[in-house]
Amino acid sequence: MPQRPSKLARAITASFVMGGLVVAVLAVAAAVHDPTSDAAWVAIPLGVLLVVWGVAFARMSAAETEDDGQTDNEAPSRGPLTRLSEAIALLGVYVVMRMLHRPLDSALVGVGGVLALRLVQLGIGRLVRRREQRDGEPEPLTD
């Protein structure tokens, strides 16, 4: 018998689904009110992605609780959630910057900053994996 997701997992899922619906509805209303607002048009897919993220998280949580034979060394695939999170971050930065009445170039610089942080994260991940392969075991993270 599959276990039910935890209360925290259900709260996270509900928050993202409800938040996404609110963002999408407000964005549609803003786009109808001002069809030239690029922030409103970009906020519509942002709201949809928030809902999709919530649903993907719920499925991931359910899959983790059903997989009792998984060892500690095997991490579940979080690829879809990672890609959704990146898309949400990119769209969110753009929408927030434009809603703060920053010019388009400032909003694009913010999006570029998010992309740059992702590239740094990927580079550090590769470096850590190479060191682990070379040394045979993971090194403890220190500050």
Side-chain angles (χ1 to χ4, degrees):
M1 178 174 180
Q3 294 178 340
R4 291 180 53 164
S6 69
K7 288 181 182 180
L8 178 62
R10 287 184 290 185
I12 290 170
T13 299
S15 297
F16 271 85
V17 170
M18 293 302 296
L21 290 173
V22 168
V23 168
V25 167
L26 292 175
V28 168
V32 168
H33 178 70
D34 182 12
T36 62
S37 172
D38 58 330
W41 288 105
V42 173
I44 294 170
L46 174 62
V48 171
L49 285 177
L50 287 169
V51 171
V52 170
W53 193 98
V55 171
F57 180 79
R59 290 181 149 207
M60 181 194 74
S61 295
E64 281 183 348
T65 58
E66 290 175 6
D67 190 13
D68 294 334
Q70 189 176 32
T71 64
D72 289 338
N73 295 335
E74 299 174 21
S77 173
R78 287 188 172 84
L81 279 180
T82 301
R83 288 188 294 276
L84 285 169
S85 298
E86 291 168 359
I88 289 169
L90 292 171
L91 292 175
V93 165
Y94 183 85
V95 169
V96 168
M97 294 291 285
R98 294 299 283 161
M99 287 179 66
L100 294 173
H101 304 291
R102 303 302 305 166
L104 181 62
D105 59 344
S106 295
L108 293 177
V109 167
V111 170
V114 171
L115 289 173
L117 287 174
R118 175 64 177 145
L119 291 175
V120 168
Q121 179 191 13
L122 288 173
I124 290 172
R126 287 183 186 146
L127 178 67
V128 168
R129 282 191 299 276
R130 269 192 247 138
R131 284 187 181 173
E132 287 176 355
Q133 288 174 352
R134 184 184 66 214
D135 298 339
E137 63 183 58
E139 296 178 13
L141 297 176
T142 59
D143 290 325

